[in-house]
């Protein structure tokens, strides 16, 4: 610690006896950004969970300030806060700042394994479809005529991911990202390009969703029926069907723009 802020009060001079943890962090970040503004250099900066204990508005301001700073220097942010990650992503997109994202995980009993992109739960639909296609190709290489417990578990897991991807497609494609679950506002400017979906598209969406729900482990299927799970080839066909829905909506969106 290079400097400390003291309060000139008759009761105490210790800031932690007057201000909350969030207020202390806000002052610390404000001081740090002020120092950066006055510094005559463009050195990189690293922040570790910078918004913990901050209220909503200060978190958004920090996200904007970090993206603004990234125009002049390298900014590295470590965070466990996925809501803040979403805010950062929105500000980065709005500013058009070059960026890269990685995540850390435990692997082989050891921490710190670096992976490109985002974890599955935070990926966009394009990255998810790509991951599904890779997994389907791997399953198809060794898919047996009579799948056992391992193959059944693997295919159920991929259909669980397919269902989640379908829901992300509805958020990002059908409704054009107007509403996203980490945001606290609605992208009204994106509403103009929402074209909804036709009855055949709805039926295709509903069919894929029901098929996924029937396969995933969230349900306990009747063991008496001994119903077979979809094969790796079936999974491939369902991924193709999902991509076709996306393309149909995109094509109608382009056509609507062309005639506007």
């Amino acid at each position: 610690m290079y400097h400390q802020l003291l309060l000139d009060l008759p009761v105490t001079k210790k800031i932690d006896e007057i201000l909350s943890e969030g207020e202390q962090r806000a002052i610390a970040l404000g001081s740090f950004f002020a120092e950066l503004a006055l510094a005559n250099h463009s050195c990189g900066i690293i922040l570790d969970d910078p918004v913990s204990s901050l209220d909503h508005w200060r978190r958004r301001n920090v996200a904007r300030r970090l993206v603004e700073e990234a125009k002049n220097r390298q900014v590295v942010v470590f965070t466990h806060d996925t809501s803040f990650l979403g805010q950062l992503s929105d500000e980065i997109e709005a500013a058009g700042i070059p960026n890269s994202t990685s995540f850390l995980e435990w692997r082989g009993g050891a921490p710190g394994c670096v992976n490109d992109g985002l974890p599955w739960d935070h990926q966009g639909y394009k990255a998810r479809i790509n991951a599904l296609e890779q997994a389907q190709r791997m399953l198809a290489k060794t898919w047996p005529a009579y799948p056992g417990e391992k193959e059944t578990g693997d295919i159920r897991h991929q259909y669980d991911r397919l269902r989640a991807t379908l829901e992300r497609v509805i958020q990002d494609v059908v409704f054009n990202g107007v509403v996203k679950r980490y945001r606290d506002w609605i992208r009204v400017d994106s509403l103009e390009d929402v074209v909804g979906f036709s009855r055949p598209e709805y039926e295709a969406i509903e069919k894929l969703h029901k098929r996924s729900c029937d396969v995933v482990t969230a349900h306990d299927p009747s063991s008496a029926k001994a119903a077979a799970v979809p094969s790796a080839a079936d999974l491939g066909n369902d991924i193709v069907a999902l991509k076709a829905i996306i393309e149909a909506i995109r094509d109608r969106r382009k056509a609507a723009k062309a005639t506007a």
Side-chain angles (χ1 to χ4, degrees), residues 45-99:
I45 57 174
I46 301 175
L47 299 97
D48 184 14
D49 268 331
V51 297
S52 60
S53 301
L54 292 187
D55 61 32
H56 167 72
W57 296 109
R58 288 190 176 119
R59 291 155 61 94
R60 181 187 292 181
N61 289 335
V62 170
R64 289 176 176 170
R65 186 67 175 83
L66 288 174
V67 172
E68 185 67 24
E69 203 61 46
K71 296 177 181 178
N72 306 312
R73 68 183 76 244
Q74 183 183 33
V75 177
V76 179
V77 180
F78 292 92
T79 183
H80 295 87
D81 191 325
T82 54
S83 177
F84 179 61
L85 177 61
Q87 289 175 311
L88 270 178
S89 298
D90 276 349
E91 297 299 333
I92 288 170
E93 180 182 352
I97 300 296
N99 65 95

Side-chain angles (χ1 to χ4, degrees), residues 68-157:
E68 185 67 24
E69 203 61 46
K71 296 177 181 178
N72 306 312
R73 68 183 76 244
Q74 183 183 33
V75 177
V76 179
V77 180
F78 292 92
T79 183
H80 295 87
D81 191 325
T82 54
S83 177
F84 179 61
L85 177 61
Q87 289 175 311
L88 270 178
S89 298
D90 276 349
E91 297 299 333
I92 288 170
E93 180 182 352
I97 300 296
N99 65 95
S100 64
T101 304
S102 302
F103 69 95
L104 304 175
E105 67 176 352
W106 282 76
R107 187 177 298 172
C113 182
V114 181
N115 302 271
D116 291 334
L118 292 169
W120 170 268
D121 288 345
H122 310 295
Q123 288 178 4
Y125 74 93
K126 292 181 181 179
R128 288 186 176 192
I129 289 176
N130 183 58
L132 280 167
E133 289 178 325
Q134 292 182 24
Q136 187 274 331
R137 286 193 291 268
M138 292 296 293
L139 287 172
K141 287 180 180 179
T142 58
W143 191 259
Y146 301 99
E149 286 291 324
K150 182 182 184 306
E151 291 81 14
T152 298
D154 289 343
I155 206 73
R156 290 190 190 280
H157 176 60

Side-chain angles (χ1 to χ4, degrees), residues 27 98 159 165 238 255:
I27 290 174
Y159 268 94
T165 301
D238 288 334

Side-chain angles (χ1 to χ4, degrees), residues 24 33 60 141 157 186 207:
Q24 293 177 57
F33 288 133
R60 181 187 292 181
K141 287 180 180 179
H157 176 60
I186 293 175
K207 179 180 178 181

